[in-house]
Amino acid sequence: FLICLLGVKWSPDGLLMLTASNDHVMRVFDLPESYFDTTHQSERPRTISSALRTRMGELVYDYAWYSRMHLSQPASCGYAVTSNAHPVHFIDPVNGKVKCTYKVHNSCDELESAYGLGFDPE
């Protein structure tokens, strides 16, 4: 089974990367400070490992960081993810736990999947 990357999104504070892949896993990468040091570029590691993995139930449709997220403010940390046949989950990128869930219902009161997500930057 070949794992293919579906996308990458930087956190608003620029400290974390969030990826989605076809194995239904969201991965959070905590970049070492050496990545931001321009004076010692040759010392940067060539690969990084994910700090946290969160398995989603099905294929991930979309995901988005909370627009005011900053790692120094734990209450603001999180990202939303929507996947096939599941409600929208707001997940803590530090521990991988679901902070809250949003259910989308159609006109017949049946559970629907959201196809896109976004946060108002204001």
Side-chain angles (χ1 to χ4, degrees):
F1 179 68
L2 181 63
I3 298 174
C4 297
L5 184 67
L6 301 175
V8 178
K9 296 186 180 181
W10 287 95
S11 63
D13 61 3
L15 299 175
L16 302 174
M17 274 190 327
L18 178 63
T19 67
S21 54
N22 67 336
D23 63 350
H24 317 295
V25 175
M26 301 299 296
R27 290 173 176 84
V28 176
F29 292 86
D30 184 5
L31 299 177
E33 288 189 27
S34 62
Y35 266 76
F36 305 105
D37 183 5
T38 58
T39 58
H40 299 95
Q41 290 182 357
S42 62
E43 296 174 16
R44 290 183 185 171
R46 295 201 177 268
T47 60
I48 55 173
S49 298
S50 60
L52 184 69
R53 297 174 185 205
T54 305
R55 178 165 285 287
M56 309 292 24
E58 294 285 336
L59 177 67
V60 173
Y61 289 152
D62 197 14
Y63 54 102
W65 287 103
Y66 174 58
S67 58
R68 294 184 180 183
M69 184 235 157
H70 198 284
L71 208 51
S72 66
Q73 301 170 350
S76 73
C77 291
Y79 64 90
V81 61
T82 179
S83 61
N84 182 42
H86 286 78
V88 175
H89 295 299
F90 189 74
I91 300 174
D92 188 318
V94 176
N95 60 26
K97 293 183 180 179
V98 175
K99 286 185 166 186
C100 59
T101 299
Y102 302 93
K103 294 182 180 180
V104 180
H105 294 270
N106 63 17
S107 60
C108 298
D109 204 29
E110 300 166 330
L111 184 64
E112 289 278 336
S113 298
Y115 293 108
L117 295 170
F119 287 98
D120 184 357
E122 296 300 320

